Amino acid sequence: MGYKAVICDLDGTLLNSEHTISDFTREVIRKVKEKGIKICIATGRHYEDAKFFKNMLGLDSYMITSNGAVVHDEKGNVIINHCIPKEIANEIINIDMDKDIHKNIYLKDSWCAEVILPEAQEFHRESGFMHVIKPFEQLKDEEINKFFYINEDENKIRDLEEYFVSNFKGKLNVTLSLPTCLEIMDRGVSKASAIKEVLEKLDIKTEEAMAFGDGLNDYEMLKVVGKGLIMGNCNYRLREALPDNEVIDTNDENGVANFLTKTFL
């Protein structure tokens, strides 16, 4: 198969455990791009956050952010913007949940939280994109692209996942980017749904694309493309869900760059 597009997740995939892109990976992507291969980022991060890495890599491609809720074209114009219906978003804001769970909301131009999350400063050190503190009561009736919840206790996140699946069945896409991070988008919204639209605009068939990911929020994406590669450091639930997909080196071993080198260079 002659692949024409590469779609890549950021955290745990293209980014190493230092939350940056290695020099080796940058050089490989530069060479692959020079061969005319379209390289697109597909991430759960906010656009204002992820575009730092797009610029770092010198990409001029589409950007899929907020797990497919938002897509920008090559010139940075919004071409897809899926928001959670306001009545459902307001209901989510009203949920009384464990105070230890860090609550977050992505709006079009900002990332809001009710309290500071110190770990976020390290996680977003490269891009410098950080949350603003605002009571969620003030965000009712706003256009919300994504809710996400963070807690180091994976059992608490798993319980919250089960709550959303049970109480909002068929109304939301409920997934995890990490075992400690639950993500909520409107129903039907995923990286895969955005990828299909982007590839159609590029006149590239889904079977002519390969994708790399490590989290459950990459599941649909890795299923829809011609070749879906799972990182060696992936969530075990992703590997169980896609037992036939190839597992490659970890993000700290330059897994993406190694595979691209073998395939294109």
Side-chain angles (χ1 to χ4, degrees):
M1 169 63 70
Y3 294 103
K4 298 179 180 179
V6 172
I7 302 112
C8 200
D9 172 49
L10 284 178
D11 294 290
T13 302
L14 201 60
L15 305 187
N16 57 31
S17 56
E18 298 298 317
H19 312 299
T20 191
I21 303 174
S22 72
D23 291 340
F24 173 64
T25 296
R26 286 187 235 179
E27 181 62 14
V28 168
I29 286 179
R30 183 187 66 78
K31 291 178 179 178
V32 172
K33 179 173 171 281
E34 286 179 350
K35 288 183 171 290
I37 307 300
K38 288 290 184 181
I39 300 178
C40 302
I41 288 171
T43 178
R45 290 198 185 210
H46 194 286
Y47 171 74
E48 295 298 331
D49 192 7
K51 73 178 181 180
F52 172 86
F53 298 102
K54 175 185 176 180
N55 293 336
M56 175 188 282
L57 294 168
L59 301 179
D60 56 357
S61 55
Y62 287 78
M63 281 275 288
I64 297 167
T65 56
S66 296
N67 284 331
V70 182
V71 178
H72 289 72
D73 66 16
E74 300 101 325
K75 297 180 179 179
N77 301 309
V78 176
I79 60 170
I80 296 173
N81 182 41
H82 295 296
C83 297
I84 296 171
K86 290 180 181 179
E87 63 274 14
I88 297 177
N90 290 344
E91 185 178 349
I92 294 172
I93 288 173
N94 285 333
I95 295 172
D96 184 18
M97 63 179 65
D98 191 321
K99 303 298 183 186
D100 291 336
I101 293 175
H102 193 268
K103 301 182 292 184
N104 302 265
I105 287 175
Y106 276 174
L107 304 175
K108 179 182 178 182
D109 298 314
S110 61
W111 163 21
C112 298
E114 290 193 309
V115 297
I116 293 172
L117 181 65
E119 301 94 307
Q121 293 179 332
E122 175 61 25
F123 204 75
H124 299 271
R125 174 171 47 86
E126 284 274 20
S127 70
F129 182 71
M130 283 295 295
H131 45 29
V132 296
I133 306 305
K134 180 175 286 192
F136 284 1
E137 280 291 319
Q138 296 180 14
L139 298 178
K140 286 187 175 180
D141 295 324
E142 291 283 350
E143 294 190 340
I144 294 173
N145 295 118
K146 186 178 87 167
F147 288 88
F148 64 104
Y149 304 94
I150 300 171
N151 191 277
E152 289 306 309
D153 186 340
E154 295 181 19
N155 290 323
K156 286 186 177 182
I157 293 298
R158 192 69 179 263
D159 289 344
L160 191 59
E161 176 188 10
E162 292 175 0
Y163 172 86
F164 272 101
V165 170
S166 298
N167 289 276
F168 294 90
K169 188 173 183 179
K171 297 179 180 179
L172 297 168
N173 181 6
V174 181
T175 188
L176 292 97
S177 54
L178 295 168
T180 56
C181 184
L182 181 71
E183 313 221 346
I184 310 291
M185 291 77 60
D186 191 19
R187 65 179 180 179
V189 171
S190 69
K191 293 182 181 182
S193 64
I195 285 167
K196 288 178 182 178
E197 293 191 52
V198 167
L199 291 178
E200 185 175 350
K201 290 179 183 297
L202 293 172
D203 196 26
I204 296 175
K205 299 175 183 176
T206 52
E207 58 264 33
E208 295 174 322
M210 66 169 60
F212 298 84
D214 72 301
L216 286 174
N217 62 326
D218 298 314
Y219 170 76
E220 297 94 340
M221 171 176 80
L222 297 176
K223 279 193 69 175
V224 77
V225 296
K227 191 166 186 64
L229 291 310
I230 299 175
M231 304 303 294
N233 51 286
C234 71
N235 185 323
Y236 75 93
R237 289 172 62 187
L238 181 67
R239 192 176 302 198
E240 290 177 352
L242 297 170
D244 297 327
N245 286 54
E246 183 176 349
V247 178
I248 62 172
D249 295 335
T250 70
N251 60 329
D252 283 333
E253 296 169 330
N254 294 309
V256 172
N258 292 339
F259 194 87
L260 292 178
T261 298
K262 180 174 68 174
T263 306
F264 295 108
L265 304 179

